[in-house]
Amino acid sequence: MQVNNRKTKQRFLFPQDRIRALTFTLMVITFSSCHQNKFESEQALWAHIKKEENGYVHQKTVNNVSYTLTYRPTDILVKQELTDRYAIETVDSLRNKYGEYLYFNLSMSSNNQELLSNKIGNRNTFGTMVNQLAFGMTDKVHMYTKAKDTIPMADYVYPRMYGMSNGTSMLLVYPKDERLLEKDFFHFTIEDLGFSTGEVRFKVSTLPIKDQPKLNFKNLL
């Protein structure tokens, strides 16, 4: 009877091992399918970026002012600088160049208009905001590590649209500081720009940035 019991136990061990292996395989497949980070076109990459659940877009509305902060992957900057014909060595060089920094698009609108469009009636206020947007955003936008260390902005680009857009957008550039990415999140804040919003704060996860999506440049040749 004891021999029979051993055989019975052995008979059930094999299927259980197979079930565990199958479960693990399914988990890997599911994770891989949900975790695509290499894309065949710029359009496909942007579609991935714009899905909020992927962690690259952060939105908030305060006192009728809407803020959207979007991470801009390194390969988007690389693609913009490439000509129609390029070598993979050029891609590697540009990745090294742009990979030293983090890029974010910041879009702000009030009542679905540019911020300046809401200040046209007051010449002094309008002029002050023009200067602030063009030259003073380094004093208004801040990035802090989880330990509350300040990461200074390296540069920003503000293309004035003269009322031709429904939002005020700018590209913000920050150094890829190790202190910023060694933790699980950092803070991004925007001071009140004259719309009674108070400080607007975003909590940004570092995992999507560390595992940022890429373009398959070999297939784009």
Side-chain angles (χ1 to χ4, degrees):
M1 292 297 294
Q2 291 180 350
V3 174
N4 289 337
N5 285 338
R6 290 196 195 98
K7 289 183 178 180
T8 302
K9 290 179 182 178
Q10 289 177 352
R11 204 175 287 134
F12 285 95
L13 280 174
F14 181 64
Q16 288 177 353
D17 288 344
R18 290 192 63 183
I19 290 171
R20 292 192 191 98
L22 180 60
T23 301
F24 177 76
T25 302
L26 289 173
M27 288 174 63
V28 171
I29 292 172
T30 302
F31 178 79
S32 299
S33 63
C34 297
H35 192 66
Q36 180 184 3
N37 74 337
K38 184 164 285 191
F39 297 86
E40 304 301 317
S41 70
E42 187 176 352
Q43 292 77 12
L45 190 152
W46 269 121
H48 176 77
I49 288 290
K50 291 178 180 179
K51 291 181 180 179
E52 281 194 64
E53 61 266 28
N54 291 327
Y56 298 103
V57 177
H58 307 270
Q59 300 186 73
K60 190 172 288 189
T61 299
V62 182
N63 198 22
N64 292 323
V65 179
S66 298
Y67 300 84
T68 302
L69 180 70
T70 306
Y71 177 68
R72 196 176 183 90
T74 300
D75 276 6
I76 292 293
L77 281 297
V78 173
K79 180 69 166 57
Q80 289 178 343
E81 193 162 326
L82 291 173
T83 58
D84 291 338
R85 295 183 178 181
Y86 58 87
I88 292 299
E89 291 76 15
T90 304
V91 172
D92 293 338
S93 176
L94 290 173
R95 277 176 169 169
N96 289 333
K97 171 185 173 182
Y98 289 110
E100 295 180 358
Y101 298 91
L102 301 174
Y103 303 86
F104 296 87
N105 286 336
L106 175 63
S107 177
M108 302 171 287
S109 65
S110 178
N111 300 313
N112 204 34
Q113 294 179 314
E114 286 187 61
L115 297 185
L116 286 172
S117 297
N118 291 268
K119 301 292 184 180
I120 291 178
N122 187 316
R123 180 177 296 181
N124 291 332
T125 305
F126 182 84
T128 299
M129 177 155 282
V130 168
N131 286 330
Q132 182 174 274
L133 292 172
F135 307 109
M137 292 305 287
T138 53
D139 297 324
K140 293 293 184 179
V141 179
H142 308 284
M143 185 179 285
Y144 302 99
T145 68
K146 187 176 181 179
K148 298 183 179 180
D149 294 322
T150 302
I151 305 298
M153 188 187 298
D155 197 5
Y156 77 95
V157 179
Y158 164 59
R160 189 173 169 189
M161 301 305 292
Y162 298 94
M164 300 298 290
S165 173
N166 61 357
T168 298
S169 297
M170 56 188 67
L171 177 66
L172 311 175
V173 185
Y174 287 88
K176 188 182 284 185
D177 195 301
E178 290 182 1
R179 294 173 299 165
L180 195 69
L181 299 177
E182 67 183 3
K183 302 297 183 180
D184 54 342
F185 68 86
F186 60 85
H187 292 290
F188 187 96
T189 65
I190 306 159
E191 292 184 20
D192 194 329
L193 299 177
F195 291 86
S196 301
T197 60
E199 182 185 74
V200 177
R201 178 181 292 263
F202 292 101
K203 183 179 178 180
V204 181
S205 173
T206 58
L207 181 58
I209 295 175
K210 287 186 283 191
D211 192 32
Q212 64 175 294
K214 298 179 180 180
L215 285 170
N216 189 352
F217 284 103
K218 289 183 179 180
N219 285 357
L220 294 176
L221 282 171

